[in-house]
C-alpha cells in the first residue's frame, strides 16, 4: 500500500468533515434510515472514545462510541465503523475496534452494544444478544444485535430497550 505508517488517535472536532465524507461515501443517504442512527441522532458521540486511523495525513478510518442505556444500565453503542475501501483488509477496522474498547474499559465502561455482523465483530469479543434481552428503537435483524462485556459478567441481569443516554456527559 504505502510506506507511511498508520496512526490511531482519538477523534477531535476538526475531524468531523472528513468523517462525514467517509460515511457519505460508505453508507450513502441510507445511513439516516438505520435504526442505530436513531440512537445517535441529537446525541453526541464521545470524542475521547472515538478513534480515527490515518495514513500520513489522510484519514482512512473511523469508529465512534456513543453513550446509551440498555434498560437502566449504562452502555456504549459502537458505530459507525468505516475504513476507506483501498485500505480495507489490512486490520485497520479491528485495530480501531480494539483501541476504542480498550479506552472505554480503561475509563470504567462495562458494556458495548452494536448492530453488525457477528462473524466480523465476534473476533473482537462481541456476542449475540440473547433473544428478547434488548430491543432497539426500530427494526433490526436480531442476528445482528451484538454485545461485548468489557468486564466479565457485565451483561448478566441486564435487559430492556436500548435508548440514548441523555444523562451522560
Ligand atoms: C467492515 C469494515 C469496517 C472492515 O474494515 P477492515 O479494515 O477491512 O477490517 P479488518 O482488516 O480488520 O478485517 C478484514 C477481515 O474481516 C472480514 N470482513 C469484513 N467485513 C466483514 C463482514 N461484514 N462480515 C464478516 N467478515 C468481514 C474481511 O473479509 C477480512 O477477512 P480476512 O481477515 O479473513 O481477510 C470495512 O469493510 C468497511 O468500512 N465496510 C463498510 C462499512 C461497514 O460495513 N461497516 C460496518 C457496519 S456493521
Amino acid at each position: 500500500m504505502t510506506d507511511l505508517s498508520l496512526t490511531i488517535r482519538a477523534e477531535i472536532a476538526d475531524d468531523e468533515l472528513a468523517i462525514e465524507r467517509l460515511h457519505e461515501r460508505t453508507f450513502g443517504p441510507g445511513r439516516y434510515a438505520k435504526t442505530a442512527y436513531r440512537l445517535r441522532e441529537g446525541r453526541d458521540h464521545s470524542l475521547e472514545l472515538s478513534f480515527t486511523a490515518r495514513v500520513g495525513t489522510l484519514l482512512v478510518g473511523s469508529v465512534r462510541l456513543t453513550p446509551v442505556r440498555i434498560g437502566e444500565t449504562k452502555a456504549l453503542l459502537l458505530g459507525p465503523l468505516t475504513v476507506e475501501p483501498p485500505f480495507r483488509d489490512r486490520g485497520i477496522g479491528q485495530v480501531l475496534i480494539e483501541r476504542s474498547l480498550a479506552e472505554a474499559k480503561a475509563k470504567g465502561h462495562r458494556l458495548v452494544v452494536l448492530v453488525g455482523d457477528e462473524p466480523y465483530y465476534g473476533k473482537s469479543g462481541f456476542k449475540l444478544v440473547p433473544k428478547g434481552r434488548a430491543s432497539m428503537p426500530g427494526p433490526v435483524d436480531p442476528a445482528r444485535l451484538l454485545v461485548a462485556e468489557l468486564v466479565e459478567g457485565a451483561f448478566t441481569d441486564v435487559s430492556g430497550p436500548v435508548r440514548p443516554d441523555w444523562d451522560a456527559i
Side-chain angles (χ1 to χ4, degrees):
M1 64 165 186
T2 167
D3 53 7
L4 292 170
S5 61
L6 183 75
T7 46
I8 306 290
R9 70 173 202 210
E11 187 183 327
I12 55 170
D14 281 356
D15 293 328
E16 179 66 33
L17 189 60
I19 293 172
E20 184 52 33
R21 286 190 181 134
L22 179 61
H23 290 168
E24 172 60 33
R25 283 195 296 279
T26 308
F27 301 108
R31 67 193 186 282
Y32 299 118
K34 285 173 180 263
T35 293
Y37 182 83
R38 291 190 204 170
L39 289 169
R40 295 190 287 259
E41 202 176 8
R43 164 74 259 167
D44 287 341
H45 56 284
S46 165
L47 284 181
E48 62 177 12
L49 301 178
S50 299
F51 287 86
T52 59
R54 279 186 170 70
V55 171
T57 57
L58 186 67
L59 188 145
V60 299
S62 158
V63 65
R64 285 176 162 172
L65 292 187
T66 303
V68 293
R69 287 190 185 237
I70 308 172
E72 292 307 317
T73 306
K74 281 177 173 290
L76 295 162
L77 175 75
L78 187 150
L81 167 70
T82 329
V83 174
E84 282 284 9
F87 294 92
R88 288 181 190 169
D89 295 336
R90 291 170 164 85
I92 296 175
Q94 195 137 3
V95 167
L96 282 168
I97 298 169
E98 276 159 21
R99 183 66 189 274
S100 63
L101 296 188
E103 199 65 26
K105 183 173 178 170
K107 293 206 156 54
H109 295 276
R110 295 164 56 85
L111 279 176
V112 181
V113 65
L114 64 79
V115 180
D117 295 328
E118 195 277 334
Y120 183 70
Y121 289 102
K123 293 186 259 186
S124 304
F126 283 86
K127 296 191 172 120
L128 201 58
V129 170
K131 201 161 182 261
R133 283 279 295 282
S135 59
M136 290 288 278
V140 161
D141 176 353
R144 302 186 77 237
L145 186 56
L146 311 178
V147 67
E149 294 180 325
L150 303 182
V151 173
E152 205 180 324
F155 193 54
T156 309
D157 299 331
V158 174
S159 64
V162 183
R163 57 190 174 89
D165 185 355
W166 298 110
D167 300 328
I169 5 167

